[in-house]
Amino acid sequence: QKEVEQDPGPLSVPEGAIVSLNCTYSNSAFQYFMWYRQYSRKGPELLMYTYSSGNKEDGRFTAQVDKSSKYISLFIRDSQPSDSATYLCASFSGGYNKLIFGAGTRLAVHP
Amino acid sequence: DTGVSQDPRHKITKRGQNVTFRCDPISEHNRLYWYRQTLGQGPEFLTYFQNEAQLEKSRLLSDRFSAERPKGSFSTLEIQRTEQGDSAMYLCASSLSQGPNEKLFFGSGTQLSVL
């Protein structure tokens, strides 16, 4: 079992839709969670960083962590075609020196 | 541009050849990471440096792979006797070590194709 699991998609939504992207993790030691956005042929770009259970909001993006069920989510409101990318969830393993990634979910927002 | 810089962006090589990639991290960052990403997968950890010391290597990093970070600045990743299975995007990231608040910043990667 991979430590961080993600549905690879692809997920296709119309412009303006609310998007929900999800990850599960297996390691109870994970406490810090990140969402990265990766455009085609580019490196991952840090989007959101969360620690505790609950919600964290940044503009159109909301990250949610539920440690009791080991479930993390990213919500995108009013999705735009420019949001079309692969979204990777990640967490630290082993003393904050190794970021473990999920496989990524490919999102396409069509006009 | 003060981000992480990687060179070359693309490399095509024949099986059995040696290749070397370079990474220039963000200048004040003391940690430097190498990851590998194949199509449809997330980045996989290969190795990381704190300053010039290589502190951890993944089991994915066979004897044909070597990484260096002389003087704690730029880093190189060399693959000897390349194999077709080495074809992937090689990503470099840098960070300022600060425990749980550490944030990794990635370069655009080097896409390696082994023919």
Side-chain angles (χ1 to χ4, degrees), chain A residues 97, chain B residues 4-6 21-35 45-56 67-70 72-77 91-97 102 104-106:
Chain A
N97 59 8
Chain B
V4 178
S5 177
Q6 290 190 246
F21 311 140
R22 178 183 170 118
C23 172
D24 287 273
I26 294 171
S27 58
E28 64 269 24
H29 285 182
N30 57 349
R31 283 193 173 179
L32 187 147
Y33 297 79
W34 285 100
Y35 279 79
F45 172 82
L46 292 179
T47 187
Y48 92 98
F49 293 82
Q50 178 137 333
N51 300 311
E52 65 276 8
Q54 188 173 15
L55 296 187
E56 188 172 343
E68 294 183 343
R69 193 184 182 196
S73 56
F74 72 92
S75 175
T76 58
L77 177 68
L91 292 162
C92 175
S94 71
S95 70
L96 199 55
S97 63
E102 182 166 351
L104 273 64
F105 294 88
F106 284 83

Side-chain angles (χ1 to χ4, degrees), chain B residues 7-23:
Chain B
D7 184 68
R9 290 293 313 277
H10 305 275
K11 179 71 177 179
I12 299 173
T13 191
K14 291 183 179 178
R15 190 175 52 188
Q17 298 293 304
N18 299 344
V19 294
T20 300
F21 311 140
R22 178 183 170 118
C23 172

